[in-house]
């Protein structure tokens, strides 16, 4: 038997001395990462640790989502559709993880949350700069979101930069135009600091791509990937809303909004309206 007493023998070669070598903890900066969970409730409430870690893991994944989406937009600009699609595929998996993660927070009962909610003051996810950055990269720009970040110059600068940059959808439409598709000039020259608004003239273009998928496979695949991104984003928003409803009901939010009613309205937003509108036109 290779394992005796249910104890594994350690290989001779296993490196043990890290006094002058890079280790797991030093590479990952674990002392920094693992000292960042500091409950503010007094006396400390047991469940605040869950609340903090749920948010921090979300922010870590959002960092990667942003990294990948910004690169995907740059790849589209460089006409490298394959690399862009690879990045979007990774983002879709992260989104699924983030959406599923709500089930961990759903174990927090309203009674438990109410015992430390008061300590959160006016802090709120509404102030998540990375979440807002992802919305901006996907094309849901809103300059009115910026004042919240005035006390955080780095976050403010990042959002200013993204507000002024073309979204992933702008870049995709630019890519299609360069591939010879008939993209209206008004779309290519739009003010990219504003939210993309439904443009009916784009629907015939997508209808053409969908009805001639074999001849336009790259564009067709990219359209469906963008639809997946939007779907996944909305599923995250929906689970956030349901979690809010089950923990604080109809209470106003710590960030000053009406709460659930405010979040509900985000479910009516859309990043790529023409990609959904084209569905109505398929097969007729
Ligand atoms: C018990 C758990 C939670 C409750 C009760 C809750 C509640 C709320 C409420 C009421 C708002 C509206 C803004 C306000 O007035 O505060 C909000 C916004 C937001 N929350 Fe949460 N939240 C929870 C967990 C989370 C988690 C885990 C995240 C992940 C980072 C998150 C991210 C956000 C974001 C990004 C917004 C802005 C949404 C938008 O602008 O549409 N929330 N939340
Ligand atoms: N807005 C929440 C508080 C909250 O969930 C929260 C507080 C601090 C940091 C992040 C949060 N998450 C999402 O809004 C509430 O009204 O209870």
């Amino acid at each position: 038997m290779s394992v005796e007493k249910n104890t594994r023998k350690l290989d001779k070669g296993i490196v043990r001395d890290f006094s002058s070598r890079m280790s797991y903890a030093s590479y990952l900066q674990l002392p920094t990462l693992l000292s960042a969970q500091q409950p503010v409730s007094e006396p400390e409430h047991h469940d605040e640790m869950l609340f903090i870690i749920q948010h921090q893991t979300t922010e870590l994944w959002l960092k990667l989502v942003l990294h990948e989406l910004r690169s995907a937009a740059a790849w589209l600009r460089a006409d490298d559709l394959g690399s862009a699609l690879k990045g979007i595929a990774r983002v879709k998996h992260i989104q699924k993880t983030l959406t599923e993660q709500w089930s961990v927070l759903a174990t927090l009962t309203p009674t438990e949350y109410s015992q430390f909610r008061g300590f959160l003051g006016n802090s709120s996810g509404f102030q998540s700069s990375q979440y807002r950055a992802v919305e901006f990269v996907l094309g849901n720009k809103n300059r009115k979101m910026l004042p919240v970040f005035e006390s955080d110059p780095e976050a403010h600068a990042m959002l200013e930069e993204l507000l002024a940059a073309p979204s992933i959808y702008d870049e995709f439409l630019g890519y299609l135009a360069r591939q010879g598709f008939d993209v209206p000039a008004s779309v290519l020259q739009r003010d990219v600091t504003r939210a993309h608004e439904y443009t009916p003239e784009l629907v015939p273009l997508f209808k053409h791509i969908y009805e001639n998928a074999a001849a336009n496979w790259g564009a067709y695949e990219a359209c469906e990937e963008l639809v997946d991104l939007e779907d996944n984003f909305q599923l995250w928003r929906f689970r956030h809303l349901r979690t809010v409803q089950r923990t604080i009901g109809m209470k106003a939010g710590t960030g000053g909004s009406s709460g659930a009613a405010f979040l509900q309205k985000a479910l009516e937003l859309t990043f790529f309206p023409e990609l959904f509108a084209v569905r109505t036109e398929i097969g007729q």
Side-chain angles (χ1 to χ4, degrees):
M1 217 170 73
S2 60
V3 172
E4 278 172 43
K5 293 187 186 165
N6 204 20
T7 303
R8 182 174 55 155
K9 285 224 162 60
L10 297 189
D11 294 359
K12 278 224 165 52
I14 284 180
V15 182
R16 295 174 170 82
D17 180 5
F18 290 94
S19 52
S20 58
R21 288 187 174 102
M22 181 162 68
S23 71
Y24 176 78
S26 65
Y27 174 60
L28 297 170
Q29 297 202 34
L30 292 186
T32 304
L33 185 67
L34 299 178
S35 59
Q37 294 68 44
Q38 302 285 346
V40 295
S41 54
E42 262 185 273
E44 186 176 324
H45 190 281
H46 171 86
D47 298 301
E48 195 184 342
M49 189 60 87
L50 158 69
F51 191 76
I52 291 172
I53 290 180
Q54 178 95 19
H55 283 87
Q56 289 183 340
T57 50
T58 302
E59 289 292 339
L60 277 178
W61 282 124
L62 283 176
K63 185 166 182 170
L64 186 56
V65 166
L66 198 51
H67 179 69
E68 298 293 349
L69 288 180
R70 292 181 81 162
S71 295
W75 275 315
L76 287 172
R77 187 186 267 287
D79 294 326
D80 182 353
L81 185 68
S83 298
L85 291 180
K86 174 83 167 50
I88 292 174
R90 182 173 293 164
V91 169
K92 282 165 52 180
H93 284 288
I94 301 169
Q95 287 177 309
K96 282 184 196 299
T97 292
L98 285 176
T99 299
E100 184 44 40
Q101 186 173 264
W102 283 112
S103 63
V104 185
L105 194 61
T107 64
L108 181 72
T109 66
T111 320
E112 288 161 351
Y113 184 48
S114 71
Q115 286 162 16
F116 65 88
R117 185 177 188 235
F119 293 96
L120 302 175
N122 285 115
S123 65
S124 161
F126 186 77
Q127 299 136 23
S128 167
S129 58
Q130 296 199 108
Y131 176 83
R132 218 50 83 195
V134 171
E135 281 191 335
F136 282 12
V137 175
L138 290 174
N140 190 234
K141 309 278 185 79
N142 185 350
R143 193 181 282 285
K144 294 213 165 90
M145 296 296 181
L146 264 70
V148 164
F149 302 97
E150 247 150 43
S151 52
D152 180 350
E154 218 177 298
H156 196 272
M158 172 184 63
L159 289 170
E160 283 266 31
E161 185 190 331
L162 291 174
L163 194 72
S167 71
I168 198 164
Y169 197 37
D170 292 319
E171 297 293 14
F172 178 54
L173 294 168
Y175 163 83
L176 290 180
R178 290 189 299 279
Q179 295 296 308
F181 291 100
D182 190 15
V183 182
S186 61
V187 170
L188 299 171
Q189 286 150 22
R190 80 177 200 94
D191 174 2
V192 299
T193 66
R194 304 174 83 91
H196 172 88
E197 284 182 66
Y198 177 58
T199 311
E201 301 83 70
L202 278 174
V203 178
L205 159 61
F206 290 131
K207 188 166 190 257
H208 172 77
I209 292 171
Y210 275 76
E211 288 179 346
N212 302 277
N216 303 294
W217 195 260
Y220 177 62
E221 191 182 359
C223 290
E224 287 294 283
E225 291 297 300
L226 291 178
V227 169
D228 284 343
L229 274 185
E230 174 159 341
D231 256 0
N232 287 349
F233 202 96
Q234 287 294 25
L235 291 174
W236 185 91
R237 279 180 173 151
F238 180 72
R239 289 214 61 185
H240 178 232
L241 172 65
R242 298 294 301 185
T243 309
V244 171
Q245 287 170 334
R246 66 187 282 165
T247 35
I248 61 167
M250 298 300 283
K251 288 189 187 108
T254 52
S257 81
S258 60
F262 176 69
L263 297 172
Q264 181 98 48
K265 284 190 215 121
L267 295 178
E268 284 167 39
L269 298 173
T270 171
F271 297 119
F272 319 122
E274 301 82 8
L275 288 175
F276 286 86
V278 74
R279 265 92 182 137
T280 315
E281 309 300 324
I282 302 292
Q284 45 183 315

